[in-house]
Amino acid sequence: MSSPFLGRTLSVINDLTVDEQFYLYQKTAELKQAILNEENLEPFRINKSESGYYLIFLEDSTRTKESFRNAASFHKGRVNMFEVERSSFNKKESITDTVKMLMGYSSQSTFIIRSRQEGLCRWLEGAMKEYAQKSGLQAPVFINAGDGKHEHPTQEILDEFTFLEHLHWDRSSIHIALVGDLFHGRTVHSKADGLKVFNQVTVDLIAPDELALPEAYVEKMKKNGFTVNTFESIESYLDQGNCAEIWYFTRLQLERMGDKVLDKEKQLRRSVTFRKEFINRLSEKTRFYHPLPRHREFPVIPFFLDSTSLNGWDNQSINGYYTRIMEIALFNGLFGDDFNGEVAQKPGYPKEFIEEVDLSQKSNLKSKPMDYKVGIKPVEQGIVIDHIAIGTDLETIWCHIDKVRRIMGLNIRSSHGVYHCNDRNLFKGIISLPDKLSFNKKHLKMLAAITPGCTLNLIKDGAVVQKFRLHSPPRLYGFKEISCKNENCISHPAYFEPIQPDFYRSDSGKYVCRYCEREHHYSEIWDI
Ligand code: NCD
């Protein structure tokens, strides 16, 4: 049986189920013991000289890059440090073309990529699988080493491994304080899913408003059953008395901040920097962690704490080496044959968003003359789109009518308007199209996505002969009129990668970009 981990991509921490993550942590613990006890390490090595490991760092890095470089060398394959500064990126080559070329050099390739663009590994996973199939190559492994403000799953793995060590591998509960720049910190964003490895999770968020955790991640934490408390500063956190034992600090990510926030830098920094006077207010068991680097002039964990028992961050940082050896090993299929937990599934999308209404139940509908009109004349033949934005305010209804007409290019003889519903005190929009005698599946999907909840009526000889009720489609792709509105998303038109935007509908009815996971209201995704 082959390993369920073989060939996997790690774009976000949720790409691994909790069982899979825990398996990885256990294997890492075995490796760490073997290294510390100077035991035989051969069983942990891939040892294939034809395997290629490509480190592509499009943003600065010390720890992640160097620990991955050493982890890849441990496996004794070909380690390539891709020189971004001297590559064809400077000749405006797309990353898609670059990766396609590199994967031809090895029988099995692992790409470890850090980028400012969010969702890059997710895109490459799909695109290169297709290319590999066509070219008879093995599909590569992609590991996200941090993508913009989105996620940092391998940091998450080393963090959780460290917390498990701290808690002596007791997974029943964790109480953790997240301190610092929670807005930009991707290592914190990954915690919204990564902490699920513990059964009961209490998260204390300590940050002033300007650096607060984005609402989408707070929501995710709550949905995952975490208890979430918020505090504006370390001082106010200490004042309330119920402090966590595990404190996870992050630096202020100045390089990602706008001028407005930068102006307040000093004040913001003060609220999340630990001060000498606080030290007696901590319990003896307290440990500080930090993904690092620290700012050498204004560190949020000051240097005088380095030699105290609070220092958990040095051991944490070394754990990055062990966990990354194991990530490479697992995704190259070295372990996992004995894994019997839950394996991650590809998401499936329900298809039924176009509901055909059974007209035989309403036989009177057929015989009754229709009251749909084109101008002042009733529609005899054609299509009528009804119930547009029903129940919303008049401006929204007009806006939907306008969107349907523009996006679908309905520049034909027709009429439209906002009307009162028959028996309810509501308004709705109607578009009558006497020259349109049929609608294909793609158009139905488009209409469903522009104005979900509408109905489409096919009229012959003044009677409705077919009627469809349209709900939000579970997935949206293949339309040239849509795009992700996150300027850092790899699918954003500004990056000129050959990517088709792709969205799926979340449980809360939002459209989530398949690459960067930004949530959109359905009306937001259209460009027209
Ligand atoms: C973090 C990162 O790059 O997101 N660093 C790291 O990988 N160890 C945190 C940071 O840059 O502040």
Side-chain angles (χ1 to χ4, degrees):
M1 200 187 80
S2 88
S3 162
F5 294 93
L6 176 66
R8 293 275 285 274
T9 279
L10 183 67
S11 176
V12 293
I13 189 66
N14 236 12
D15 284 338
L16 297 175
T17 64
V18 167
D19 286 351
E20 289 173 336
Q21 286 165 41
F22 194 65
Y23 181 84
L24 167 56
Y25 302 140
Q26 285 172 311
K27 283 281 160 207
T28 303
E30 283 173 29
L31 168 75
K32 185 171 177 177
Q33 271 315 307
I35 291 180
L36 296 179
N37 296 342
E38 295 181 23
E39 290 166 18
N40 174 19
L41 298 179
E42 290 318 300
F44 295 97
R45 269 193 237 285
I46 296 171
N47 238 334
K48 284 189 189 152
S49 57
E50 279 312 295
S51 289
Y53 305 98
Y54 297 89
L55 276 72
I56 303 182
F57 279 71
L58 303 164
E59 271 190 337
D60 297 342
S61 174
T62 302
R63 261 152 287 268
T64 307
K65 186 166 71 183
E66 294 309 322
S67 59
F68 261 123
R69 178 155 58 144
N70 281 282
S73 306
F74 173 93
H75 287 296
K76 300 204 163 149
R78 286 191 265 132
V79 183
N80 298 262
M81 300 299 294
F82 187 77
E83 282 195 50
V84 177
E85 301 300 327
R86 294 173 191 281
S87 72
S88 289
F89 281 138
N90 295 336
K91 299 181 189 171
K92 304 270 181 225
E93 185 175 47
S94 72
I95 179 115
T96 309
D97 275 357
T98 306
V99 168
K100 213 186 228 181
M101 178 268 308
L102 291 172
M103 67 187 262
Y105 296 165
S106 319
S107 57
Q108 173 66 55
S109 332
T110 301
F111 288 91
I112 296 147
I113 308 180
R114 167 169 289 191
S115 68
R116 200 179 179 84
Q117 284 78 43
E118 300 172 11
L120 177 56
C121 284
R122 177 65 75 243
W123 154 247
L124 290 172
E125 175 192 25
M128 295 308 138
K129 199 170 264 171
E130 218 172 89
Y131 172 68
Q133 260 162 13
K134 265 198 243 153
S135 335
L137 295 164
Q138 185 89 358
V141 167
F142 291 99
I143 299 180
N144 174 10
D147 58 341
K149 298 198 292 285
H150 182 217
E151 281 222 20
H152 195 344
T154 71
Q155 178 71 42
E156 185 55 21
I157 287 168
L158 83 89
D159 290 345
E160 297 303 331
F161 178 79
T162 309
F163 303 152
L164 281 165
E165 286 189 328
H166 176 116
L167 294 167
H168 309 289
W169 295 81
D170 175 2
R171 294 171 66 190
S172 57
S173 68
I174 186 168
H175 183 188
I176 182 169
L178 303 175
V179 195
D181 188 349
L182 312 184
F183 184 81
H184 299 96
R186 54 194 172 199
T187 69
V188 170
H189 301 167
S190 288
K191 298 216 158 13
D193 278 323
L195 283 164
K196 282 190 294 189
V197 79
F198 296 97
N199 297 331
Q200 258 187 38
V201 181
T202 305
V203 182
D204 298 335
L205 303 172
I206 308 174
D209 279 354
E210 291 82 348
L211 305 179
L213 187 65
E215 206 40 45
Y217 292 107
V218 177
E219 283 309 309
K220 201 191 250 191
M221 286 183 173
K222 289 185 182 162
K223 209 172 139 215
N224 285 335
F226 302 180
T227 303
V228 182
N229 307 306
T230 51
F231 304 89
E232 270 186 2
S233 64
I234 294 181
E235 205 157 6
S236 61
Y237 183 53
L238 288 167
D239 286 346
Q240 55 86 49
N242 182 20
C243 293
E245 204 176 279
I246 297 177
W247 291 46
Y248 186 89
F249 285 81
T250 58
R251 84 189 158 91
L252 266 65
Q253 304 212 353
L254 303 175
E255 73 277 18
R256 298 188 204 278
M257 288 182 191
D259 289 345
K260 251 191 179 164
V261 181
L262 276 178
D263 283 347
K264 293 191 186 169
E265 186 193 329
K266 213 172 153 195
Q267 175 198 334
L268 298 177
R269 204 184 276 292
R270 185 174 162 80
S271 50
V272 293
T273 298
F274 197 82
R275 303 203 290 272
K276 235 185 195 132
E277 72 226 47
F278 297 150
I279 210 158
N280 295 332
R281 301 172 71 179
L282 297 175
S283 90
E284 257 176 32
K285 284 183 173 170
T286 311
R287 291 286 172 283
F288 286 176
Y289 298 98
H290 194 311
L292 304 175
R294 275 187 291 178
H295 194 293
R296 61 172 174 257
E297 201 179 346
F298 307 112
V300 285
I301 302 181
F303 293 113
F304 75 89
L305 293 175
D306 287 19
S307 52
T308 67
S309 65
L310 288 170
N311 184 345
W313 61 90
D314 282 337
N315 173 50
Q316 174 194 6
S317 143
I318 298 167
N319 281 341
Y321 173 56
Y322 308 127
T323 47
R324 284 168 176 141
I325 290 178
M326 198 42 71
E327 286 155 20
I328 294 175
L330 269 187
F331 300 148
N332 279 277
L334 189 61
F335 299 106
D337 297 4
D338 58 340
F339 175 73
N340 53 17
E342 190 198 344
V343 177
Q345 303 291 332
K346 287 257 170 269
Y349 302 102
K351 291 217 162 47
E352 60 303 338
F353 62 95
I354 300 173
E355 181 194 344
E356 182 159 5
V357 179
D358 182 3
L359 294 176
S360 63
Q361 303 294 315
K362 298 185 177 178
S363 50
N364 57 342
L365 241 183
K366 276 194 166 181
S367 51
K368 211 173 117 192
M370 287 308 305
D371 54 359
Y372 292 133
K373 300 199 176 61
V374 193
I376 51 166
K377 272 175 60 190
V379 177
E380 274 295 311
Q381 321 283 343
I383 279 176
V384 172
I385 304 168
D386 195 355
H387 301 103
I388 296 173
I390 185 166
T392 58
D393 58 276
L394 297 180
E395 192 182 340
T396 308
I397 300 174
W398 277 115
C399 185
H400 276 238
I401 291 175
D402 179 51
K403 271 205 156 172
V404 170
R405 301 201 71 107
R406 272 187 303 120
I407 298 171
M408 304 196 68
L410 296 174
N411 302 316
I412 49 174
R413 191 169 67 100
S414 54
S415 72
H416 59 228
V418 175
Y419 300 88
H420 216 246
C421 287
N422 280 349
D423 36 330
R424 284 182 289 165
N425 198 18
L426 301 174
F427 291 102
K428 62 175 184 175
I430 297 180
I431 303 176
S432 303
L433 304 157
D435 288 342
K436 247 193 156 356
L437 300 176
S438 65
F439 241 70
N440 64 26
K441 188 89 193 277
K442 188 162 178 183
H443 282 128
L444 281 179
K445 186 173 178 185
M446 205 168 185
L447 188 58
I450 303 169
T451 185
C454 72
T455 51
L456 185 131
N457 302 272
L458 193 64
I459 299 178
K460 275 200 181 127
D461 303 326
V464 178
V465 290
Q466 236 184 338
K467 187 186 189 88
F468 298 99
R469 195 163 285 134
L470 305 180
H471 307 284
S472 310
R475 191 174 164 204
L476 260 190
Y477 63 102
F479 294 113
K480 59 181 189 320
E481 301 84 355
I482 58 175
S483 65
C484 176
K485 300 300 180 274
N486 173 7
E487 284 172 8
N488 295 318
C489 177
I490 188 66
S491 76
H492 194 277
Y495 298 115
F496 298 102
E497 295 288 338
I499 306 180
Q500 282 210 5
D502 193 339
F503 299 87
Y504 60 89
R505 200 184 59 214
S506 69
D507 295 344
S508 59
K510 293 266 176 64
Y511 277 100
V512 183
C513 171
R514 193 169 110 73
Y515 305 109
C516 73
E517 300 189 320
R518 168 73 67 89
E519 289 186 346
H520 299 69
H521 187 260
Y522 67 83
S523 58
E524 243 183 300
I525 57 181
W526 298 96
D527 297 333
I528 309 181

